[in-house]
Amino acid sequence: MRLTDTMSGQALEVEPLRAGHIGLYVCGVTPYSASHIGHAMSAIVYDVLVRYLRWPGNRAGGYEVTYVSNYTDVDDKLIDRGAELGIDPLALANANIEQWEREQAALGLLPPDVRPRVSTEIPAIVALIERIIAHGHAYSTPAGNVYFRVQSKADYGKLSHRSIEQLRTGTRFEPGEDKEFALDFALWKAMKPGEPHWTSPWGEGRPGWHIECSAMSQRYLGDTFDIHGGGIDLVFPHHENEVAQSEAATGRPFARLWVHNGMVLRDGEKMSKSLGNFVTVEDALARWSADAIRVFALSSQYRTPNNLTDDALEAAGRAVDRLATALEAKSTAERGAPSVDASEARARFVEAMEDDLNTAQALAAMFELARAINRGRDEGMDIAAAQHALYELAWVLGLRLERESVTTAIDATALAEAASRFGVAAGAEAETVEALLARRAEARAARDFATGDAIRAALDGLGIEVKDTPQGAEWTVRG
RNA sequence: GGCCACGUAGCCAAGUGGCAAGGCAGAGGUCUGCAAAACCUCCAUCACCGGUUCGAAUCCGGUCGUGGCCUCCA
């Protein structure tokens, strides 16, 4: 499979370091507040990448994947926020992580194999900083800070395609900083009162922002590993600094391939915590199904920005219904009837996914399969195998394609009234509805369509949709 | 100002040299007592200008516009 690599700017073939195995590291969130759709978008993209890599149906026959994604639970924003709210920053991080993990499950995101946190990886971080210092690429200061010496790495800027000279313009020393050079960045920050702190060779303090990802990725995946991913806004400075630190410590290449997903926009502007224009995952899940959110995220190429609008989500929801309907279609095929052939759609799906995770085109293949299934059903063909294939492809994209479970309660009083109006005994909810439908069937059989339609209208008023099928009436409650 | 993307139908969006995928919405039709679903048909000369080519949405140059990064950010 090919993926666009940010470092080279080229779509590169994924060639595992170790045959049949892929190591993937993805930058997770800094849990200082609730997660928003942008985080979901990113998580969905890498979730689909992992699902596809593991899928035996891919061109390589399926890889074993070690998927590592971190939580940055020690950070300036967490400390600031904690101070604002008067709670311990680690407790705040914990609470937000717990919520995000519930939301991840709701979004159908497969849990990463390892979810390291800064607070539990301090020894690895300290050890890494020591190696960087030993190689002359970092220095400690009397105040107890450790900085990375940017100018010691000739290739600094190679990921984000900029030079130290370019970056230098407009960068100034902040007052009171004890760096050698304005672009040098902190690997270790000396303790300030009231902040979380750990013991280190440089005194009490805490890790800087970028070092944790170097330490965690290398600890769990090795000095060099296959794929590193994250949001495109992390390219500089976060990932640039990660490369510099990691390669400074090991003298070996860091990630072999860098994948970056595009941002979610809201009203054409980047959605971010700092701009405050975000839609939280919680709010989104209250309005739209997980499948709809996924289809929204996957209907464009992962690198292009995705503008979140109500229309787009509603359209995605209807698109999901279309796939779900094809999956639910009941076969009327006689024994020995010809089968709907899914192999073409499947091949197109695979080809799309192999080509830089082209989920938009993969979805198109699924819609074509859905149409073939519906047509096949109308023509009395055997659709079971094709439905199974569609279900399998849906799994790869993480779509459940199940009807939403009933969440809206039916107004019991109104239902009982309807029952008495049409001369039916009221009992348990489902029984009453079934009794009303039986009454309607009688009326229709007697060609008393006025009564039949009145019952349909009454049920519709209660949020119950009635659908006539050759097997009789079916009913569903609108969610 | 520097670096990187992008501009395709009413909306979302794929397509990187050879008759413009797919979804949503819309129009017409089939089926149905009705309704829903489904199926069939229809709906774009690809921001603008110039160039390369037998041939360009696709390559090159320019113009205009949008977004991201250059400070925390998925």
Side-chain angles (χ1 to χ4, degrees), chain A residues 325-466:
Chain A
T325 301
L327 224 41
E328 284 170 358
K330 290 198 182 81
S331 177
T332 55
E334 316 236 323
R335 190 176 290 276
S339 301
V340 171
D341 179 19
S343 60
E344 207 172 300
R346 195 187 180 85
R348 195 182 156 197
F349 179 93
V350 170
E351 195 178 335
M353 294 296 278
E354 292 281 329
D355 183 13
D356 204 10
L357 206 70
N358 193 333
T359 49
Q361 223 171 97
L363 276 168
M366 290 172 64
F367 285 113
E368 274 165 13
L369 181 54
R371 177 179 285 110
I373 289 168
N374 289 329
R375 195 190 296 135
R377 177 208 50 200
D378 288 354
E379 292 169 359
M381 294 172 77
D382 186 341
I383 57 176
Q387 284 179 313
H388 187 83
L390 181 59
Y391 185 80
E392 186 180 345
L393 301 185
W395 179 87
V396 176
L397 297 189
L399 298 171
R400 298 188 181 101
L401 299 187
E402 285 160 3
R403 290 297 178 190
E404 295 304 298
S405 57
V406 175
T407 50
T408 314
I410 297 168
D411 183 336
T413 317
L415 184 61
E417 264 171 37
S420 74
R421 180 145 45 100
F422 293 104
V424 162
E429 187 175 272
E431 283 167 26
T432 312
V433 174
E434 291 293 347
L436 279 163
L437 287 178
R439 174 77 191 86
R440 175 166 171 270
E442 277 170 29
R444 292 177 70 214
R447 302 197 68 77
D448 174 11
F449 295 120
T451 302
D453 288 348
I455 294 174
R456 174 199 287 285
L459 289 171
D460 190 73
L462 293 167
I464 299 166
E465 267 176 63
V466 177

Side-chain angles (χ1 to χ4, degrees), chain A residues 172-426:
Chain A
R172 286 182 195 173
F173 278 98
E174 295 294 322
E177 278 187 329
D178 52 353
K179 301 173 179 177
E180 288 176 0
F181 183 66
L183 290 174
D184 289 352
F185 55 90
L187 299 179
W188 188 263
K189 294 181 172 187
M191 183 186 95
K192 286 183 203 149
E195 292 187 358
H197 57 94
W198 290 267
T199 305
S200 82
W202 317 286
E204 290 292 304
R206 63 185 171 94
W209 176 34
H210 316 293
I211 192 68
E212 81 284 10
C213 282
S214 290
M216 295 187 260
S217 59
Q218 294 187 314
R219 174 169 181 196
Y220 295 104
L221 297 172
D223 289 352
T224 303
F225 57 91
D226 297 293
I227 305 173
H228 191 131
I232 201 166
D233 56 347
L234 295 178
V235 173
F236 189 90
H238 186 57
H239 290 163
E240 190 67 63
N241 291 350
E242 261 186 70
V243 182
Q245 292 161 350
S246 303
E247 298 187 350
T250 66
R252 280 201 271 264
F254 187 49
R256 310 218 310 165
L257 210 148
W258 287 88
V259 179
H260 290 102
N261 64 279
M263 299 291 98
V264 175
L265 311 180
R266 177 70 171 173
D267 302 322
E269 213 181 354
K270 180 184 167 185
M271 186 185 291
S272 74
K273 291 189 191 175
S274 38
L275 285 174
N277 62 341
F278 55 86
V279 175
T280 62
V281 173
E282 185 178 18
D283 290 346
L285 281 169
R287 288 188 66 182
W288 302 296
S289 71
D291 276 356
I293 292 168
R294 262 186 193 262
V295 166
F296 164 74
L298 299 174
S299 65
S300 68
Q301 219 280 339
Y302 71 88
R303 271 175 296 121
T304 57
N306 212 347
N307 197 15
L308 176 71
T309 62
D310 292 0
D311 284 352
L313 261 299
E314 273 154 34
R318 297 216 177 95
V320 167
D321 284 345
R322 186 170 169 74
L323 294 175
T325 301
L327 224 41
E328 284 170 358
K330 290 198 182 81
S331 177
T332 55
E334 316 236 323
R335 190 176 290 276
S339 301
V340 171
D341 179 19
S343 60
E344 207 172 300
R346 195 187 180 85
R348 195 182 156 197
F349 179 93
V350 170
E351 195 178 335
M353 294 296 278
E354 292 281 329
D355 183 13
D356 204 10
L357 206 70
N358 193 333
T359 49
Q361 223 171 97
L363 276 168
M366 290 172 64
F367 285 113
E368 274 165 13
L369 181 54
R371 177 179 285 110
I373 289 168
N374 289 329
R375 195 190 296 135
R377 177 208 50 200
D378 288 354
E379 292 169 359
M381 294 172 77
D382 186 341
I383 57 176
Q387 284 179 313
H388 187 83
L390 181 59
Y391 185 80
E392 186 180 345
L393 301 185
W395 179 87
V396 176
L397 297 189
L399 298 171
R400 298 188 181 101
L401 299 187
E402 285 160 3
R403 290 297 178 190
E404 295 304 298
S405 57
V406 175
T407 50
T408 314
I410 297 168
D411 183 336
T413 317
L415 184 61
E417 264 171 37
S420 74
R421 180 145 45 100
F422 293 104
V424 162

Side-chain angles (χ1 to χ4, degrees), chain A residues 96-170:
Chain A
N96 284 317
I97 287 170
E98 272 173 30
Q99 183 183 344
W100 175 218
E101 290 196 339
R102 282 196 300 276
E103 291 163 352
Q104 287 175 64
L107 288 168
L109 295 164
L110 300 173
D113 300 297
V114 189
R115 294 232 77 154
R117 303 182 185 194
V118 178
S119 60
T120 55
E121 296 284 338
I122 301 291
I125 292 170
V126 168
L128 184 63
I129 296 174
E130 287 185 299
R131 284 174 79 188
I132 299 170
I133 294 176
H135 287 88
H137 292 290
Y139 53 93
S140 58
T141 68
N145 293 309
V146 180
Y147 294 103
F148 186 83
R149 188 175 280 133
V150 163
Q151 286 165 303
S152 74
K153 287 286 291 174
D155 58 1
Y156 186 79
K158 66 179 175 179
L159 178 68
S160 57
H161 308 112
R162 42 196 109 181
S163 65
I164 289 179
E165 214 32 62
Q166 277 169 2
L167 288 163
R168 202 176 173 170
T169 325

